[in-house]
Amino acid sequence: MRFDYTRSVGPTIGAFLTGLRDRKVVGARGSDGRVLVPPPEYDPVSNLPLTDFVDVADTGTVSTWTWVREPQPGQPFDRPFAWALITLDGADSALLHAVDVASPEQIHTGLRVRARWAQETTGDIKDIVCFEPGEGSAAPTAPTPSEGGAEPVTMITTPVDLSYKHTASPQETVYLRGLAEGKLIGARTDAGDKVYFPPRGANPTSGLPTEDYIELSDHGTVTTFCIVNVPFLGQRIKPPYVAAYVLLDGADIPVLHLVLGCEASEVRMGMRVKAVWKPREQWGHGLENVDHFEPSGEPDADYETYQHHL
């Protein structure tokens, strides 16, 4: 899941980001006299807006740290490094940032560090690439944007990238392995219970495990649907198209999927549809093995067939 989040930054965060763009670190003085970096928008003591901005040094002292043996995507380095809380000279609160050291033996509480600035700064926390052991500024000789009369930073765009790692339950495992074999597997608690697709670990009404597995047909009935007319970032199908709940034959719970193969205006409640599978070599352990549903050509289902599933 990935999208760009654009927002206005306001005067306080804007001052901090504008300072970073100009290779300066800006804090704010609170009502108790402490200089806070990064500056919060409101005084933690009085709750009033903070307006007394103060430049602090880009050197400081490590107050605490942790070692990252296996960096994750999106982190500052693709090699081991340290995260640290760094109290900059002139500040009374600590800034969280990366410290570029080769081993945990090279970092300790009390270590003096300095900022390593990016060659090109834009008004982002990443304008400080990292901190490194040493004294004195490590800023490059490239001119700062303010020397060219750049406007203050008022807006930022932050890419949001979410990745999920899911551990399948025993019931999900049966379902996912079935998909890899071209089967649609539902499950129920017993012969008199509802058939869930995808299977759930337990019946939500009784709490009993759903371990009675049933192979379902890849034909079904549209119970309700939505015509998507609005384009959005990452959309892989040109609007208009239909997202519909399809009640597979033999199931009691409909599943959300695409309905293609006809005009969006032709899709209707009760329409009979069939699964269109991707080529066998593209199958994995997921419902995306079914590319979409399309009209099967069968007569529409009676309303009584699907009314309880709306």
Side-chain angles (χ1 to χ4, degrees):
M1 184 184 299
R2 178 179 299 171
F3 62 94
D4 287 339
Y5 177 55
T6 301
R7 56 162 289 194
S8 58
V9 295
T12 305
I13 298 175
F16 176 68
L17 296 177
T18 300
L20 291 177
R21 188 195 61 194
D22 297 341
R23 300 193 182 95
K24 298 186 299 183
V25 182
V26 175
R29 193 183 308 278
S31 60
D32 58 358
R34 293 185 303 150
V35 176
L36 307 175
V37 178
E41 294 185 287
Y42 296 94
D43 191 313
V45 177
S46 69
N47 298 322
L48 296 175
L50 290 174
T51 57
D52 185 9
F53 297 112
V54 180
D55 290 351
V56 301
D58 63 357
T59 56
T61 303
V62 172
S63 58
T64 187
W65 59 277
T66 186
W67 186 248
V68 182
R69 289 186 175 87
E70 299 180 1
Q72 300 296 312
Q75 290 187 334
F77 298 104
D78 58 2
R79 61 181 186 276
F81 69 97
W83 286 117
L85 287 173
I86 301 164
T87 304
L88 298 176
D89 299 338
D92 297 290
S93 63
L95 171 73
L96 176 66
H97 218 299
V99 179
D100 187 12
V101 286
S103 69
E105 288 73 28
Q106 296 180 1
I107 186 170
H108 56 84
T109 297
L111 177 70
R112 293 289 294 170
V113 292
R114 62 186 181 186
R116 181 191 301 166
W117 294 92
Q119 287 292 329
E120 295 184 8
T121 54
T122 60
D124 187 279
I125 189 61
K126 294 180 181 178
D127 290 344
I128 297 177
V129 176
C130 64
F131 284 81
E132 59 189 28
E135 296 279 4
S137 177
T141 57
T144 62
S146 61
E147 296 175 10
E151 294 293 325
V153 177
T154 59
M155 301 286 293
I156 58 172
T157 299
T158 303
V160 177
D161 191 348
L162 304 177
S163 298
Y164 296 89
K165 183 177 181 180
H166 175 71
T167 300
S169 67
Q171 291 81 0
E172 289 175 313
T173 298
V174 174
Y175 159 73
L176 295 172
R177 288 177 173 169
L179 286 169
E181 298 174 358
K183 301 176 182 178
L184 302 177
I185 305 295
R188 60 187 178 184
T189 298
D190 53 48
D193 196 15
K194 289 184 177 180
V195 176
Y196 291 93
F197 179 86
R200 303 183 183 183
N203 184 312
T205 59
S206 67
L208 297 174
T210 53
E211 296 177 338
D212 183 11
Y213 300 104
I214 300 172
E215 183 175 349
L216 302 172
S217 167
D218 64 358
H219 285 55
T221 302
V222 173
T223 61
T224 187
F225 64 95
C226 171
I227 299 178
V228 179
N229 290 295
V230 180
F232 55 85
L233 189 65
Q235 199 170 34
R236 66 182 182 91
I237 303 175
K238 184 179 179 180
Y241 61 90
V242 174
Y245 277 98
V246 177
L247 181 66
L248 296 177
D249 295 347
D252 292 290
I253 305 297
V255 63
L256 182 65
H257 217 299
L258 294 172
V259 174
L260 305 175
C262 66
E263 295 295 328
S265 59
E266 297 177 6
V267 178
R268 56 199 178 274
M269 296 166 64
M271 183 183 213
R272 293 287 294 166
V273 293
K274 62 181 180 181
V276 177
W277 295 78
K278 291 181 179 179
R280 179 66 179 83
E281 61 272 14
Q282 297 180 20
W283 289 359
H285 294 86
L287 190 55
E288 61 269 18
N289 292 356
V290 176
D291 185 75
H292 62 273
F293 285 82
E294 68 179 12
S296 66
E298 302 168 83
D300 287 5
D302 294 332
Y303 177 71
E304 290 75 13
T305 304
Y306 60 89
Q307 61 175 323
H308 301 298
H309 306 284
L310 299 178

